[in-house]
Amino acid sequence: MSLQNFLTMDPHLLLSIVNMKLRDNHESLEDFTRSYDIDLQALCDKLSEAGYHYQASNNQFK
């Protein structure tokens, strides 16, 4: 699944995809956003609008 259109995705679906990829393939949010060439702040803002915030200690959004 392409994440280039993440700004138009349902935030709950986006959360599920991002957390799965963080868990399975990436050591940090920075690594994830670099890997998919997406804007870290835009991703955080999109998920924040739905009430989700990144927790570095767990490497996931909650």
Side-chain angles (χ1 to χ4, degrees), residues 3-59:
L3 289 172
Q4 295 305 312
N5 63 345
F6 74 93
L7 288 174
T8 61
M9 293 177 76
D10 174 84
H12 308 292
L13 176 61
L14 179 61
L15 171 77
S16 178
I17 293 168
V18 170
N19 277 344
M20 178 191 66
K21 296 209 178 272
L22 284 169
R23 180 189 70 233
D24 294 346
N25 304 102
H26 301 282
E27 295 181 12
S28 68
L29 182 58
E30 292 79 12
D31 179 45
F32 169 80
T33 56
R34 199 173 326 117
S35 176
Y36 287 94
D37 193 30
I38 59 177
D39 183 84
L40 186 144
Q41 191 58 53
L43 176 64
C44 288
D45 290 346
K46 171 75 175 179
L47 290 173
S48 178
E49 290 172 4
Y52 301 112
H53 303 281
Y54 182 68
Q55 296 181 353
S57 62
N58 298 324
N59 193 32

